[in-house]
Amino acid sequence: RKEVEQDPGPFNVPEGATVAFNCTYSNSASQSFFWYRQDCRKEPKLLMSVYSSGNEDGRFTAQLNRASQYISLLIRDSKLSDSATYLCVGVLASNQFYFGTGTSLTVIP
Amino acid sequence: DAGITQSPRYKITETGRQVTLMCHQTWSHSYMFWYRQDLGHGLRLIYYSAAADITDKGEVPDGYVVSRSKTENFPLTLESATRSQTSVYFCASTGGSNSHEQYFGPGTRLTVT
């Protein structure tokens, strides 16, 4: 069983739509969570941290639910430039990072 | 601010050859990581290092060797390359035990023929 699981998609949404991604994690000892964005053939780039209290950055909102062991990312008013693969990651206290396999998003004009 | 760099960016090698991938960071980050990324598997941790001279195995360490004699460098060596090691390799670093924000190098695309 993978430490972090996410729906690979693809998600194809029209411009302006709201889209949500979820990840589930299996290790309750995971301390920190993040969302990364990866463009084709490029390195992953940190998008945002995820907190139980929620974290909002412009059109992006991330949420952590420790009781159900999942994290979510909500993108509002999707732009063409949001097309990418979104990776969720859980981090243990030992600094071991476990990445999901990524969810592919394509925003259609 | 160079950040984190990897070399070479592309490499083709033959089965059985030894190849070393280089990773260099200018932030003095204590933690450094090596991942491989393959279709269907996502990013998988090969080795990581908490500081100079401290390294630990990750999820898929077999066939790889690492060293960390200096904080800023973390080379990854494939001792005898196999076709199954064809992949994209990413190096990453974080600031330390209180910082889990991880930053990645641009990657090395390795093909083993």
Coordinates of all heavy atoms in Angstrom, one line a residue, chain B residues 31 53 66 71 91:
Chain B
Y31 N 19.6 19.1 4.9 CA 19.0 17.8 4.3 C 19.1 17.9 2.8 O 18.7 18.9 2.2 CB 17.6 17.6 4.7 CG 17.4 17.0 6.1 CD1 17.5 17.8 7.3 CD2 17.1 15.7 6.3 CE1 17.3 17.3 8.5 CE2 17.0 15.1 7.5 CZ 17.1 16.0 8.7 OH 16.9 15.4 9.9
D53 N 28.4 13.6 5.9 CA 28.8 12.3 6.4 C 27.6 11.5 7.0 O 27.9 10.4 7.7 CB 29.9 12.4 7.4 CG 31.2 13.0 6.8 OD1 31.4 12.6 5.6 OD2 31.9 13.8 7.4
V66 N 25.6 6.7 -2.4 CA 25.7 8.1 -2.2 C 26.9 8.4 -1.2 O 27.3 7.6 -0.5 CB 24.4 8.8 -1.7 CG1 23.3 8.7 -2.7 CG2 24.0 8.1 -0.3
T71 N 28.7 19.7 2.8 CA 27.3 20.0 3.0 C 26.6 20.3 1.6 O 25.5 19.9 1.4 CB 27.1 21.2 3.9 OG1 27.6 20.9 5.2 CG2 25.6 21.6 4.1
C91 N 17.3 15.8 -7.5 CA 17.9 16.1 -6.2 C 17.1 17.1 -5.6 O 16.5 18.0 -6.2 CB 19.3 16.5 -6.5 SG 20.3 17.0 -5.0

